[in-house]
Amino acid sequence: MSTSPTAAIRSAPECTFVRVSALPGRPETARQAASRAARAGELVPVRRGLYYRGKMTRYGMTPPRIEEVVREVLGSRGVGPTGYSAARAWGVTTQVPAKYEVATLHPSSPIVNVKQVHRSNLARIDLNELEIALLELLRDPDIYVEAGWSNLVERVRQASEAGEVRLAAMAAAVPGERNVSIRTNFQRLSTDLA
């Protein structure tokens, strides 16, 4: 006996995304079930064909964090925050960007409240989110790092020791960066960390 789209939606775990294309049944039936669930407050619409099943509170269903939407839509390979979003990921600014800023290798259709920036360095595909955020910070650390260069160096040292960033992987990707500041500042960072 197959599961209905409505039953599949209701059995989806909290804090997960629900893709209409992954629901059982005919596509039209699945779309209608997801639409009804959203109107009933059981799902939060994210974009066409994508919904989120958050936690139910007295105020309604919790929406996904913007970072979660970005990961779900764009994936995690070669994608990471840029600008003040990168600075926030590293904890080196108190600024809050009006939109979440993300650097990606492949342009995507627009995402609400997200500013996408296309980067062409394919070597970034093997870097994690925090490593990409660091490359983006190195474009102009004087603007994004409020407490100064030494604070960024110390944060990178801690992240490297904790295994959160791989400096060797970053060193392999840096030569492919078109931005001269990234290459220069990565060399400076490597020297200061040594």
Side-chain angles (χ1 to χ4, degrees), residues 88-100:
R88 288 186 66 78
W90 275 95
V92 294
T93 188
T94 56
Q95 298 294 317
V96 179
K99 289 185 173 188
Y100 185 76

Side-chain angles (χ1 to χ4, degrees), residues 18-119:
V18 175
R19 288 191 179 273
V20 171
S21 60
L23 291 174
R26 293 186 358 241
E28 183 180 320
T29 307
R31 273 194 305 275
Q32 289 173 351
S35 182
R36 278 193 307 273
R39 282 194 304 272
E42 297 173 350
L43 290 177
V44 175
V46 176
R47 63 187 295 166
R48 185 181 174 111
L50 182 64
Y51 294 82
Y52 183 76
R53 183 167 172 79
K55 291 183 179 182
M56 186 56 78
T57 69
R58 63 169 38 170
Y59 304 107
M61 183 76 60
T62 58
R65 291 184 9 255
I66 195 69
E67 296 90 339
E68 294 171 321
V69 173
V70 167
R71 280 187 213 106
E72 184 67 22
V73 174
L74 300 177
S76 59
R77 298 198 69 201
V79 177
T82 186
Y84 283 108
S85 297
R88 288 186 66 78
W90 275 95
V92 294
T93 188
T94 56
Q95 298 294 317
V96 179
K99 289 185 173 188
Y100 185 76
E101 301 168 291
V102 65
T104 179
L105 293 175
H106 308 288
S108 168
S109 57
I111 303 170
V112 176
N113 293 323
V114 175
K115 177 184 176 188
Q116 296 181 49
V117 179
H118 178 254
R119 304 289 186 225

Side-chain angles (χ1 to χ4, degrees), residues 131-152:
E131 292 163 348
I132 291 172
L134 180 55
L135 286 182
E136 293 295 318
L137 278 181
L138 294 177
R139 286 177 170 277
D140 202 341
D142 293 337
I143 289 180
Y144 298 118
V145 182
E146 289 176 2
W149 178 259
S150 60
N151 183 27
L152 178 62

